[in-house]
Amino acid sequence: MSAPVPVPRTAVPLGITDPVEKARAELKAALAAIEEKGNLPRRAGRAVDKRVAQLRDFSRTEPVLTAVAVVGAAVGIGVAVWGAVRLYVR
């Protein structure tokens, strides 16, 4: 016996023959798709989580390059702050 295949929230299940039920399922899927597309904070959070996971994997596999990147970023930020303060003081 095979388990039923899960249907994503934004998809309409196959095999609905009743037109009313099919219309309800299509409306429900359309509203879910609009919510997924329009919920920018959730999408941004997912993108940030994905990028953080990628960076953690990179830091585990390439610790030396990670340290070089962190030092380089710190130097870059330090130079930017120093330049901004210098321009402000003049």
Side-chain angles (χ1 to χ4, degrees), residues 5-62:
V5 177
V7 178
R9 287 183 346 126
T10 58
V12 178
L14 298 174
I16 299 176
T17 56
D18 183 27
V20 174
E21 289 297 320
K22 186 170 183 168
R24 286 182 182 155
E26 288 174 353
L27 178 61
K28 183 178 175 183
L31 292 174
I34 290 169
E35 180 188 1
E36 288 287 323
K37 189 80 168 177
N39 195 341
L40 296 179
R42 181 184 293 171
R43 289 176 61 192
R46 287 180 183 164
V48 167
D49 291 344
K50 183 179 176 181
R51 186 68 178 151
V52 165
Q54 289 173 344
L55 291 173
R56 283 186 179 151
D57 289 341
F58 179 77
S59 69
R60 286 188 194 106
T61 58
E62 301 289 342

